[in-house]
């Protein structure tokens, strides 16, 4: 892939099939892992399969060849898929990093992966560098049944913090994600599986959450807020739980191999009526969406860019017409909540006309009246991300004019 990109006649690096699958010791006997191998070899019969052992403290050994350096590791990662068990919880409260305005987000971590090679992708500075999928879905099934009650409790705790500090928080308070992880584990251990039990559980555990969040409070003020917990809880029941399955992942990009979206449709959606699922993608893999009923509890957030941007900066993603075609098919089918994202908007020669044409194409292709939200965004240039982009994509002209964002 790297060599192809270096070709002076090409500004586009096509995503290839997964070339190698690494099965960890914890997943070697998994039926799901065996199915992943079969599906991968059906797409590419030359896929290499290897097995890796277990290190200290029962950790999986995940490593790239020692002779690879810098960008070589990045491109090797794009062609490699690790299959393993997840040791930590599948469900986590998203920390909402940065100076942003954001509602409570709860992530369902089925894996970390995106086979596309978008030049601007902030995953290049992600804390986790491997493409991986998890096998131990039985653990997930045990976790997810508690999450509607943990979700309401989290909103209640956020409300209590707001009133205690007399502040309006535009995103979750600092460290609430970490303290809720401990709270969630305690609730699961106590088997809190109904609203009444959670309303009783909250007063017994909220003090520790506040301490973990470093919230200053007076005992008498906290007592007043604890007395209001049943009211807060009843009000926050109106806020639905959405599990976001796209943190550091484009779940549809690897669906032909992993079948994670299909698992959501067949094993999670039908038996968890209070749980909704949100997917963000640049991939028009339509098979499972057309096959199953989303029950208006699956949101598909389709990312759209001008063809010029897709061609130059989003290799391996679906063409614009395919993305819009999937949206149109799902509008005709019904049962899905559909959202659009124009993100990131990129400054390039002729960008004004390109984005004008994009808006016209979108409005002519789908029914915009049925789209509840449209998101606009710029490139997320985290610390040192530009350095990673230039290292991994030395042929990119993304920073040609030192202005990548509109």
């Amino acid at each position: 892939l790297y060599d192809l990109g270096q070709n002076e006649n090409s500004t586009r690096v096509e995503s290839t099939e997964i070339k190698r699958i690494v099965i960890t010791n914890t997943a070697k006997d998994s039926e799901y892992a065996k199915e992943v191998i079969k599906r991968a070899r059906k797409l590419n019969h030359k896929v290499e399969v290897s097995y890796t052992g277990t290190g200290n403290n029962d950790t999986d050994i995940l490593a790239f060849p020692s002779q690879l350096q810098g960008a070589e590791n990045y491109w090797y990662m794009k062609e490699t898929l690790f299959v393993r068990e997840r040791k930590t919880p599948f469900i986590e409260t998203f920390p909402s990093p940065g100076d942003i305005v954001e509602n409570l987000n709860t992530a369902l971590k089925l894996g970390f992966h995106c086979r596309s090679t978008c030049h601007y992708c902030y995953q290049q500075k992600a804390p986790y560098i491997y493409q991986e999928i998890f096998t131990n879905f039985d653990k997930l099934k045990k976790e997810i049944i508690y999450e509607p009650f943990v979700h309401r409790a989290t909103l209640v705790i956020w409300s209590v913090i707001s009133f205690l500090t007399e502040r309006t928080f535009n995103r979750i308070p600092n460290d609430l994600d970490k303290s809720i992880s401990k709270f969630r584990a305690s609730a699961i251990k106590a088997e809190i599986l109904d609203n009444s039990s959670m309303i009783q559980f909250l007063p017994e555990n909220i003090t520790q959450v506040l301490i973990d969040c470093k919230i200053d409070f007076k005992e008498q003020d906290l007592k007043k807020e604890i007395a209001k917990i049943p009211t807060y809880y009843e009000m926050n029941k109106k806020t639905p739980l959405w599990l976001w399955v796209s943190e550091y992942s484009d779940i549809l990009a690897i669906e032909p191999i992993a079948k994670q979206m299909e698992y959501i449709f067949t094993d999670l959606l039908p038996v968890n009526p209070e749980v909704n699922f949100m997917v963000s993608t640049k991939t028009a893999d339509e098979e499972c969406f057309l096959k199953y009923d989303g029950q208006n509890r699956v949101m598909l957030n389709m990312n759209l860019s001008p063809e010029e941007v897709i061609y130059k900066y989003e290799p391996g993603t679906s063409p614009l017409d395919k993305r819009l075609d999937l949206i149109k098919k799902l509008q005709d089918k019904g049962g899905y909540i559909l959202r659009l994202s124009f993100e990131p908007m990129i400054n390039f020669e002729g960008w004004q006309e390109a984005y004008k044409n994009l808006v016209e194409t979108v409005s002519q292709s789908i029914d915009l009246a049925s789209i509840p939200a449209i998101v606009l965004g710029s490139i997320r240039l985290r610390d040192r991300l530009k350095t990673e982009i230039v290292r991994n994509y030395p042929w990119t002209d993304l920073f040609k004019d030192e202005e990548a964002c509109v």
Side-chain angles (χ1 to χ4, degrees):
L1 286 176
Y2 182 85
D3 292 340
L4 177 60
Q6 294 272 40
N7 186 338
E8 63 181 6
N9 296 320
S10 173
T11 58
R12 184 175 175 88
V13 183
E14 296 291 351
S15 176
T16 63
E17 305 299 340
I18 293 293
K19 288 186 176 181
R20 63 193 68 85
I21 294 176
V22 180
I23 310 292
T24 66
N25 190 54
T26 57
K28 64 179 179 7
D29 297 322
S30 164
E31 289 300 319
Y32 175 70
K34 296 173 185 176
E35 289 299 318
V36 166
I37 294 172
K38 288 181 182 178
R39 289 191 288 263
R41 283 184 165 161
K42 186 175 181 180
L43 295 171
N44 176 12
H45 70 279
K46 295 183 180 180
V47 165
E48 302 172 6
V49 177
S50 60
Y51 296 84
T52 184
T54 304
N56 296 331
N57 301 318
D58 197 34
T59 57
D60 293 327
I61 297 176
L62 307 178
F64 294 151
S66 59
Q67 68 269 27
L68 299 183
Q69 301 293 327
E72 295 173 323
N73 274 321
Y74 175 77
W75 291 104
Y76 185 91
M77 174 271 290
K78 283 294 182 181
E79 299 170 340
T80 306
L81 179 65
F82 286 89
V83 182
R84 58 190 292 242
E85 285 192 348
R86 184 168 176 83
K87 305 294 180 64
T88 55
F90 276 87
I91 300 174
E92 295 180 1
T93 301
F94 187 64
S96 296
D99 186 14
I100 60 176
V101 176
E102 189 168 50
N103 293 327
L104 175 66
N105 277 332
T106 306
L108 170 57
K109 299 187 174 182
L110 296 173
F112 295 93
H113 48 72
C114 185
R115 287 173 51 218
S116 303
T117 50
C118 300
H119 294 197
Y120 52 74
C121 183
Y122 60 84
Q123 286 189 350
Q124 295 173 76
K125 282 300 297 180
Y128 206 78
I129 63 172
Y130 304 103
Q131 286 199 104
E132 63 177 10
I133 55 177
F134 304 121
T135 61
N136 49 330
F137 293 138
D138 54 335
K139 173 181 168 68
L140 167 58
K141 286 183 176 180
K142 294 176 182 177
E143 288 181 32
I144 197 171
I145 59 176
Y146 294 93
E147 198 55 32
F149 312 104
V150 173
H151 173 71
R152 292 163 196 153
T154 303
L155 292 171
V156 169
I157 293 168
W158 187 345
S159 300
V160 169
I161 291 174
S162 293
F163 284 110
L164 283 176
T165 60
E166 297 182 339
R167 284 183 56 192
T168 298
F169 291 86
N170 293 325
R171 52 181 289 275
I172 66 169
N174 290 337
D175 296 321
L176 183 59
D177 59 309
K178 299 174 185 175
S179 58
I180 290 301
S181 292
K182 294 166 61 176
F183 179 89
R184 178 181 287 109
S186 298
I188 292 175
K189 184 176 181 180
E191 299 184 347
I192 305 300
L193 279 172
D194 61 79
N195 292 317
S196 297
S197 297
M198 182 56 82
I199 291 172
Q200 182 178 346
F201 186 76
L202 267 165
E204 300 168 356
N205 292 271
I206 195 170
T207 300
Q208 186 60 53
V209 174
L210 298 175
I211 293 172
D212 291 342
C213 290
K214 303 178 182 62
I215 303 297
D216 293 327
F217 60 89
K218 296 178 180 179
E219 289 295 334
Q220 61 267 31
D221 293 335
L222 179 57
K223 287 182 179 179
K224 293 178 182 178
E225 292 303 318
I226 287 177
K228 299 175 184 176
I229 281 179
T231 301
Y232 293 159
Y233 194 92
E234 200 61 32
M235 294 175 68
N236 280 303
K237 279 173 62 178
K238 302 173 185 177
T239 303
L241 167 63
W242 287 91
L243 292 184
W244 178 36
V245 300
S246 301
E247 184 184 8
Y248 296 123
S249 302
D250 186 336
I251 190 172
L252 297 188
I254 204 168
E255 180 67 10
I257 294 175
K259 296 295 182 183
Q260 294 173 325
M261 195 68 226
E262 183 168 303
Y263 175 76
I264 290 174
F265 280 116
T266 58
D267 288 62
L268 298 182
L269 192 71
V271 296
N272 296 281
E274 294 187 287
V275 182
N276 309 282
F277 300 88
M278 181 169 63
V279 183
S280 296
T281 188
K282 294 184 179 74
T283 305
D285 189 295
E286 63 182 37
E287 181 179 352
C288 60
F289 282 89
L290 297 180
K291 181 178 180 180
Y292 298 104
D293 179 11
Q295 302 179 31
N296 288 315
R297 292 168 44 216
V298 174
M299 178 187 293
L300 179 67
N301 183 81
M302 182 61 78
N303 188 290
L304 302 176
S305 295
E307 285 286 9
E308 297 91 328
V309 170
I310 295 173
Y311 181 80
K312 290 188 70 174
Y313 305 120
E314 298 179 356
T317 66
S318 296
L320 177 61
D321 60 339
K322 296 293 185 181
R323 302 185 202 185
L324 291 174
D325 187 51
L326 175 56
I327 292 293
K328 181 64 169 64
K329 287 179 179 178
L330 295 183
Q331 285 184 326
D332 293 341
K333 174 181 171 62
Y336 293 92
I337 300 172
L338 304 170
R339 195 171 75 170
L340 307 180
S341 288
F342 297 85
E343 182 183 13
M345 297 183 69
I346 295 177
N347 188 336
F348 60 94
E349 186 175 351
W351 68 266
Q352 296 97 328
E353 189 66 22
Y355 280 99
K356 177 183 176 182
N357 292 338
L358 173 62
V359 171
E360 291 177 351
T361 299
V362 171
S363 64
Q364 294 168 6
S365 302
I366 64 175
D367 177 17
L368 284 175
S370 66
I371 303 294
I374 297 176
V375 178
L376 306 180
S378 62
I379 292 179
R380 305 177 189 183
L381 284 177
R382 294 179 174 178
D383 292 343
R384 298 185 299 279
L385 175 57
K386 180 179 176 181
T387 301
E388 299 290 326
I389 293 173
V390 173
R391 185 198 71 177
N392 297 331
Y393 301 91
W395 56 86
T396 188
D397 64 355
L398 191 60
F399 304 107
K400 181 179 179 181
D401 299 319
E402 290 300 317
E403 288 184 350
C405 310
V406 173

